[in-house]
PDB file of all heavy atoms in Angstrom:
ATOM      1  N   MET A1533      87.186 151.517 133.310  1.00  0.00           N
ATOM      2  CA  MET A1533      87.856 150.387 132.831  1.00  0.00           C
ATOM      3  C   MET A1533      88.383 150.659 131.462  1.00  0.00           C
ATOM      4  O   MET A1533      87.650 151.428 130.624  1.00  0.00           O
ATOM      5  CB  MET A1533      86.916 149.140 132.725  1.00  0.00           C
ATOM      6  CG  MET A1533      86.375 148.637 134.027  1.00  0.00           C
ATOM      7  SD  MET A1533      87.650 148.299 135.241  1.00  0.00           S
ATOM      8  CE  MET A1533      88.348 146.798 134.620  1.00  0.00           C
ATOM      9  N   GLY A1534      89.517 150.122 131.155  1.00  0.00           N
ATOM     10  CA  GLY A1534      90.106 150.369 129.714  1.00  0.00           C
ATOM     11  C   GLY A1534      89.991 149.177 129.054  1.00  0.00           C
ATOM     12  O   GLY A1534      89.075 148.306 129.253  1.00  0.00           O
ATOM     13  N   ARG A1535      90.842 148.817 128.136  1.00  0.00           N
ATOM     14  CA  ARG A1535      90.810 147.650 127.316  1.00  0.00           C
ATOM     15  C   ARG A1535      92.170 146.860 127.603  1.00  0.00           C
ATOM     16  O   ARG A1535      93.151 147.457 127.713  1.00  0.00           O
ATOM     17  CB  ARG A1535      90.657 147.899 125.792  1.00  0.00           C
ATOM     18  CG  ARG A1535      89.362 148.587 125.461  1.00  0.00           C
ATOM     19  CD  ARG A1535      89.340 148.905 123.959  1.00  0.00           C
ATOM     20  NE  ARG A1535      88.098 149.678 123.655  1.00  0.00           N
ATOM     21  CZ  ARG A1535      87.792 150.014 122.400  1.00  0.00           C
ATOM     22  NH1 ARG A1535      88.731 149.860 121.442  1.00  0.00           N
ATOM     23  NH2 ARG A1535      86.722 150.595 122.218  1.00  0.00           N
ATOM     24  N   PRO A1536      92.080 145.494 127.699  1.00  0.00           N
ATOM     25  CA  PRO A1536      90.880 144.661 127.838  1.00  0.00           C
ATOM     26  C   PRO A1536      90.445 144.497 129.166  1.00  0.00           C
ATOM     27  O   PRO A1536      91.067 143.680 129.981  1.00  0.00           O
ATOM     28  CB  PRO A1536      91.436 143.447 127.142  1.00  0.00           C
ATOM     29  CG  PRO A1536      92.888 143.305 127.515  1.00  0.00           C
ATOM     30  CD  PRO A1536      93.398 144.768 127.614  1.00  0.00           C
ATOM     31  N   ARG A1537      89.518 145.317 129.627  1.00  0.00           N
ATOM     32  CA  ARG A1537      88.892 145.087 130.965  1.00  0.00           C
ATOM     33  C   ARG A1537      89.951 145.277 132.086  1.00  0.00           C
ATOM     34  O   ARG A1537      89.955 144.483 133.028  1.00  0.00           O
ATOM     35  CB  ARG A1537      88.152 143.832 131.022  1.00  0.00           C
ATOM     36  CG  ARG A1537      87.000 143.742 130.199  1.00  0.00           C
ATOM     37  CD  ARG A1537      86.085 144.869 130.279  1.00  0.00           C
ATOM     38  NE  ARG A1537      85.250 145.032 131.525  1.00  0.00           N
ATOM     39  CZ  ARG A1537      84.656 146.065 132.028  1.00  0.00           C
ATOM     40  NH1 ARG A1537      84.464 147.052 131.064  1.00  0.00           N
ATOM     41  NH2 ARG A1537      84.005 146.073 133.046  1.00  0.00           N
ATOM     42  N   THR A1538      90.904 146.218 131.930  1.00  0.00           N
ATOM     43  CA  THR A1538      91.823 146.529 132.994  1.00  0.00           C
ATOM     44  C   THR A1538      91.567 147.932 133.415  1.00  0.00           C
ATOM     45  O   THR A1538      90.971 148.757 132.804  1.00  0.00           O
ATOM     46  CB  THR A1538      93.306 146.458 132.438  1.00  0.00           C
ATOM     47  OG1 THR A1538      93.452 147.377 131.279  1.00  0.00           O
ATOM     48  CG2 THR A1538      93.539 145.067 132.062  1.00  0.00           C
ATOM     49  N   PRO A1539      91.901 148.316 134.721  1.00  0.00           N
ATOM     50  CA  PRO A1539      91.685 149.636 135.186  1.00  0.00           C
ATOM     51  C   PRO A1539      92.237 150.687 134.161  1.00  0.00           C
ATOM     52  O   PRO A1539      93.344 150.543 133.754  1.00  0.00           O
ATOM     53  CB  PRO A1539      92.360 149.623 136.461  1.00  0.00           C
ATOM     54  CG  PRO A1539      92.359 148.138 136.946  1.00  0.00           C
ATOM     55  CD  PRO A1539      92.554 147.459 135.657  1.00  0.00           C
ATOM     56  N   LEU A1540      91.534 151.707 133.957  1.00  0.00           N
ATOM     57  CA  LEU A1540      91.859 152.744 133.135  1.00  0.00           C
ATOM     58  C   LEU A1540      92.970 153.616 133.784  1.00  0.00           C
ATOM     59  O   LEU A1540      93.887 154.061 133.132  1.00  0.00           O
ATOM     60  CB  LEU A1540      90.667 153.636 132.705  1.00  0.00           C
ATOM     61  CG  LEU A1540      90.937 154.875 131.912  1.00  0.00           C
ATOM     62  CD1 LEU A1540      91.480 154.479 130.543  1.00  0.00           C
ATOM     63  CD2 LEU A1540      89.672 155.739 131.829  1.00  0.00           C
ATOM     64  N   PHE A1541      92.793 153.845 135.115  1.00  0.00           N
ATOM     65  CA  PHE A1541      93.716 154.744 135.794  1.00  0.00           C
ATOM     66  C   PHE A1541      94.833 153.913 136.467  1.00  0.00           C
ATOM     67  O   PHE A1541      94.546 153.018 137.194  1.00  0.00           O
ATOM     68  CB  PHE A1541      92.987 155.566 136.828  1.00  0.00           C
ATOM     69  CG  PHE A1541      92.203 156.691 136.366  1.00  0.00           C
ATOM     70  CD1 PHE A1541      90.886 156.460 135.825  1.00  0.00           C
ATOM     71  CD2 PHE A1541      92.550 158.028 136.324  1.00  0.00           C
ATOM     72  CE1 PHE A1541      90.098 157.532 135.307  1.00  0.00           C
ATOM     73  CE2 PHE A1541      91.916 158.958 135.814  1.00  0.00           C
ATOM     74  CZ  PHE A1541      90.597 158.777 135.272  1.00  0.00           C
ATOM     75  N   SER A1542      96.055 154.439 136.169  1.00  0.00           N
ATOM     76  CA  SER A1542      97.222 153.857 136.953  1.00  0.00           C
ATOM     77  C   SER A1542      97.511 154.694 138.095  1.00  0.00           C
ATOM     78  O   SER A1542      97.147 155.809 138.202  1.00  0.00           O
ATOM     79  CB  SER A1542      98.482 153.608 135.996  1.00  0.00           C
ATOM     80  OG  SER A1542      98.666 154.919 135.417  1.00  0.00           O
ATOM     81  N   VAL A1543      98.052 153.938 139.224  1.00  0.00           N
ATOM     82  CA  VAL A1543      98.205 154.636 140.398  1.00  0.00           C
ATOM     83  C   VAL A1543      99.658 154.783 140.793  1.00  0.00           C
ATOM     84  O   VAL A1543     100.340 153.748 140.800  1.00  0.00           O
ATOM     85  CB  VAL A1543      97.510 153.992 141.616  1.00  0.00           C
ATOM     86  CG1 VAL A1543      97.817 154.775 142.982  1.00  0.00           C
ATOM     87  CG2 VAL A1543      95.945 153.927 141.323  1.00  0.00           C
ATOM     88  N   TYR A1544     100.332 155.882 141.164  1.00  0.00           N
ATOM     89  CA  TYR A1544     101.556 156.089 141.625  1.00  0.00           C
ATOM     90  C   TYR A1544     101.673 156.777 143.079  1.00  0.00           C
ATOM     91  O   TYR A1544     101.264 157.955 143.192  1.00  0.00           O
ATOM     92  CB  TYR A1544     102.253 157.013 140.644  1.00  0.00           C
ATOM     93  CG  TYR A1544     102.301 156.422 139.234  1.00  0.00           C
ATOM     94  CD1 TYR A1544     101.330 156.644 138.380  1.00  0.00           C
ATOM     95  CD2 TYR A1544     103.452 155.605 138.838  1.00  0.00           C
ATOM     96  CE1 TYR A1544     101.324 156.088 137.085  1.00  0.00           C
ATOM     97  CE2 TYR A1544     103.441 155.003 137.542  1.00  0.00           C
ATOM     98  CZ  TYR A1544     102.324 155.269 136.719  1.00  0.00           C
ATOM     99  OH  TYR A1544     102.366 154.672 135.464  1.00  0.00           O
ATOM    100  N   ASP A1545     102.038 155.855 144.007  1.00  0.00           N
ATOM    101  CA  ASP A1545     101.948 156.373 145.348  1.00  0.00           C
ATOM    102  C   ASP A1545     103.338 156.286 146.052  1.00  0.00           C
ATOM    103  O   ASP A1545     103.285 156.292 147.289  1.00  0.00           O
ATOM    104  CB  ASP A1545     100.822 155.698 146.231  1.00  0.00           C
ATOM    105  CG  ASP A1545     101.059 154.133 146.335  1.00  0.00           C
ATOM    106  OD1 ASP A1545     102.044 153.663 145.736  1.00  0.00           O
ATOM    107  OD2 ASP A1545     100.075 153.558 146.759  1.00  0.00           O
ATOM    108  N   GLN A1546     104.400 156.086 145.341  1.00  0.00           N
ATOM    109  CA  GLN A1546     105.711 155.843 145.905  1.00  0.00           C
ATOM    110  C   GLN A1546     106.788 156.762 145.300  1.00  0.00           C
ATOM    111  O   GLN A1546     107.898 156.563 145.374  1.00  0.00           O
ATOM    112  CB  GLN A1546     106.228 154.447 145.977  1.00  0.00           C
ATOM    113  CG  GLN A1546     105.245 153.484 146.775  1.00  0.00           C
ATOM    114  CD  GLN A1546     105.769 152.224 146.847  1.00  0.00           C
ATOM    115  OE1 GLN A1546     106.940 151.906 147.445  1.00  0.00           O
ATOM    116  NE2 GLN A1546     105.098 151.025 146.525  1.00  0.00           N
ATOM    117  N   LEU A1547     106.285 157.873 144.623  1.00  0.00           N
ATOM    118  CA  LEU A1547     107.265 158.691 143.938  1.00  0.00           C
ATOM    119  C   LEU A1547     107.925 159.582 145.044  1.00  0.00           C
ATOM    120  O   LEU A1547     107.278 160.149 145.875  1.00  0.00           O
ATOM    121  CB  LEU A1547     106.514 159.662 142.923  1.00  0.00           C
ATOM    122  CG  LEU A1547     105.837 158.984 141.774  1.00  0.00           C
ATOM    123  CD1 LEU A1547     105.103 159.908 140.881  1.00  0.00           C
ATOM    124  CD2 LEU A1547     106.800 158.192 140.934  1.00  0.00           C
ATOM    125  N   PRO A1548     109.220 159.691 144.925  1.00  0.00           N
ATOM    126  CA  PRO A1548     110.072 160.460 146.029  1.00  0.00           C
ATOM    127  C   PRO A1548     109.618 161.863 146.029  1.00  0.00           C
ATOM    128  O   PRO A1548     109.310 162.452 145.016  1.00  0.00           O
ATOM    129  CB  PRO A1548     111.542 160.261 145.616  1.00  0.00           C
ATOM    130  CG  PRO A1548     111.458 159.909 144.085  1.00  0.00           C
ATOM    131  CD  PRO A1548     110.152 159.144 143.953  1.00  0.00           C
ATOM    132  N   PRO A1549     109.620 162.457 147.280  1.00  0.00           N
ATOM    133  CA  PRO A1549     109.178 163.909 147.336  1.00  0.00           C
ATOM    134  C   PRO A1549     110.129 165.013 146.927  1.00  0.00           C
ATOM    135  O   PRO A1549     109.818 166.158 146.863  1.00  0.00           O
ATOM    136  CB  PRO A1549     108.879 163.930 148.873  1.00  0.00           C
ATOM    137  CG  PRO A1549     109.841 163.094 149.474  1.00  0.00           C
ATOM    138  CD  PRO A1549     110.019 161.908 148.401  1.00  0.00           C
ATOM    139  N   VAL A1550     111.365 164.532 146.729  1.00  0.00           N
ATOM    140  CA  VAL A1550     112.343 165.584 146.216  1.00  0.00           C
ATOM    141  C   VAL A1550     112.185 165.846 144.637  1.00  0.00           C
ATOM    142  O   VAL A1550     112.210 164.826 144.001  1.00  0.00           O
ATOM    143  CB  VAL A1550     113.848 165.242 146.522  1.00  0.00           C
ATOM    144  CG1 VAL A1550     114.742 166.211 146.055  1.00  0.00           C
ATOM    145  CG2 VAL A1550     114.030 165.054 148.028  1.00  0.00           C
ATOM    146  N   VAL A1551     111.839 167.024 144.232  1.00  0.00           N
ATOM    147  CA  VAL A1551     111.721 167.272 142.951  1.00  0.00           C
ATOM    148  C   VAL A1551     112.533 168.566 142.538  1.00  0.00           C
ATOM    149  O   VAL A1551     113.055 169.261 143.453  1.00  0.00           O
ATOM    150  CB  VAL A1551     110.191 167.656 142.573  1.00  0.00           C
ATOM    151  CG1 VAL A1551     109.377 166.387 142.883  1.00  0.00           C
ATOM    152  CG2 VAL A1551     109.800 168.772 143.418  1.00  0.00           C
ATOM    153  N   THR A1552     112.630 168.904 141.363  1.00  0.00           N
ATOM    154  CA  THR A1552     113.309 170.150 140.889  1.00  0.00           C
ATOM    155  C   THR A1552     112.348 171.288 140.988  1.00  0.00           C
ATOM    156  O   THR A1552     111.112 171.066 140.984  1.00  0.00           O
ATOM    157  CB  THR A1552     113.925 170.017 139.642  1.00  0.00           C
ATOM    158  OG1 THR A1552     112.822 169.854 138.642  1.00  0.00           O
ATOM    159  CG2 THR A1552     114.854 168.832 139.473  1.00  0.00           C
ATOM    160  N   THR A1553     112.892 172.486 141.010  1.00  0.00           N
ATOM    161  CA  THR A1553     111.911 173.593 140.917  1.00  0.00           C
ATOM    162  C   THR A1553     111.325 173.666 139.651  1.00  0.00           C
ATOM    163  O   THR A1553     110.156 174.223 139.483  1.00  0.00           O
ATOM    164  CB  THR A1553     112.814 174.998 141.242  1.00  0.00           C
ATOM    165  OG1 THR A1553     113.869 174.927 140.287  1.00  0.00           O
ATOM    166  CG2 THR A1553     113.262 174.953 142.641  1.00  0.00           C
ATOM    167  N   TRP A1554     111.953 173.197 138.589  1.00  0.00           N
ATOM    168  CA  TRP A1554     111.279 173.141 137.223  1.00  0.00           C
ATOM    169  C   TRP A1554     110.030 172.218 137.351  1.00  0.00           C
ATOM    170  O   TRP A1554     108.975 172.554 136.829  1.00  0.00           O
ATOM    171  CB  TRP A1554     112.237 172.558 136.158  1.00  0.00           C
ATOM    172  CG  TRP A1554     111.745 172.642 134.835  1.00  0.00           C
ATOM    173  CD1 TRP A1554     111.790 173.739 133.933  1.00  0.00           C
ATOM    174  CD2 TRP A1554     110.943 171.718 134.132  1.00  0.00           C
ATOM    175  NE1 TRP A1554     111.134 173.479 132.789  1.00  0.00           N
ATOM    176  CE2 TRP A1554     110.549 172.289 132.837  1.00  0.00           C
ATOM    177  CE3 TRP A1554     110.348 170.446 134.475  1.00  0.00           C
ATOM    178  CZ2 TRP A1554     109.754 171.484 132.008  1.00  0.00           C
ATOM    179  CZ3 TRP A1554     109.600 169.686 133.573  1.00  0.00           C
ATOM    180  CH2 TRP A1554     109.283 170.267 132.338  1.00  0.00           C
ATOM    181  N   GLN A1555     110.182 171.007 137.979  1.00  0.00           N
ATOM    182  CA  GLN A1555     108.984 170.184 138.056  1.00  0.00           C
ATOM    183  C   GLN A1555     107.797 170.785 138.870  1.00  0.00           C
ATOM    184  O   GLN A1555     106.712 170.672 138.448  1.00  0.00           O
ATOM    185  CB  GLN A1555     109.414 168.884 138.770  1.00  0.00           C
ATOM    186  CG  GLN A1555     110.275 167.986 137.864  1.00  0.00           C
ATOM    187  CD  GLN A1555     110.768 166.763 138.590  1.00  0.00           C
ATOM    188  OE1 GLN A1555     111.424 166.929 139.776  1.00  0.00           O
ATOM    189  NE2 GLN A1555     110.335 165.608 138.289  1.00  0.00           N
ATOM    190  N   ASN A1556     108.261 171.453 139.980  1.00  0.00           N
ATOM    191  CA  ASN A1556     107.196 171.961 140.897  1.00  0.00           C
ATOM    192  C   ASN A1556     106.540 173.267 140.296  1.00  0.00           C
ATOM    193  O   ASN A1556     105.429 173.513 140.644  1.00  0.00           O
ATOM    194  CB  ASN A1556     107.856 172.267 142.217  1.00  0.00           C
ATOM    195  CG  ASN A1556     106.879 172.332 143.423  1.00  0.00           C
ATOM    196  OD1 ASN A1556     106.320 171.314 143.868  1.00  0.00           O
ATOM    197  ND2 ASN A1556     106.445 173.476 143.774  1.00  0.00           N
ATOM    198  N   PHE A1557     107.284 173.973 139.533  1.00  0.00           N
ATOM    199  CA  PHE A1557     106.839 175.287 139.179  1.00  0.00           C
ATOM    200  C   PHE A1557     106.735 175.406 137.567  1.00  0.00           C
ATOM    201  O   PHE A1557     105.549 175.613 136.990  1.00  0.00           O
ATOM    202  CB  PHE A1557     107.574 176.461 139.654  1.00  0.00           C
ATOM    203  CG  PHE A1557     107.605 176.445 141.173  1.00  0.00           C
ATOM    204  CD1 PHE A1557     108.684 176.326 141.955  1.00  0.00           C
ATOM    205  CD2 PHE A1557     106.402 176.690 141.834  1.00  0.00           C
ATOM    206  CE1 PHE A1557     108.755 176.458 143.369  1.00  0.00           C
ATOM    207  CE2 PHE A1557     106.266 176.709 143.287  1.00  0.00           C
ATOM    208  CZ  PHE A1557     107.557 176.599 143.995  1.00  0.00           C
ATOM    209  N   ASP A1558     107.823 175.446 136.955  1.00  0.00           N
ATOM    210  CA  ASP A1558     107.937 175.700 135.566  1.00  0.00           C
ATOM    211  C   ASP A1558     107.115 174.788 134.650  1.00  0.00           C
ATOM    212  O   ASP A1558     106.459 175.221 133.683  1.00  0.00           O
ATOM    213  CB  ASP A1558     109.310 175.829 135.090  1.00  0.00           C
ATOM    214  CG  ASP A1558     110.195 176.799 135.775  1.00  0.00           C
ATOM    215  OD1 ASP A1558     110.390 177.963 135.303  1.00  0.00           O
ATOM    216  OD2 ASP A1558     110.785 176.400 136.846  1.00  0.00           O
ATOM    217  N   SER A1559     107.080 173.475 134.964  1.00  0.00           N
ATOM    218  CA  SER A1559     106.302 172.564 134.228  1.00  0.00           C
ATOM    219  C   SER A1559     104.838 172.846 134.237  1.00  0.00           C
ATOM    220  O   SER A1559     104.101 172.467 133.253  1.00  0.00           O
ATOM    221  CB  SER A1559     106.686 171.112 134.677  1.00  0.00           C
ATOM    222  OG  SER A1559     106.026 170.817 135.912  1.00  0.00           O
TER     223      SER A1559
END
Side-chain angles (χ1 to χ4, degrees):
M1533 303 298 293
R1535 296 179 181 177
R1537 299 303 297 169
T1538 57
L1540 177 64
F1541 286 82
S1542 50
V1543 177
Y1544 299 86
D1545 59 7
Q1546 298 190 53
L1547 298 176
V1550 177
V1551 298
T1552 65
T1553 54
W1554 186 90
Q1555 289 173 299
N1556 200 80
F1557 299 118
D1558 300 272
S1559 73

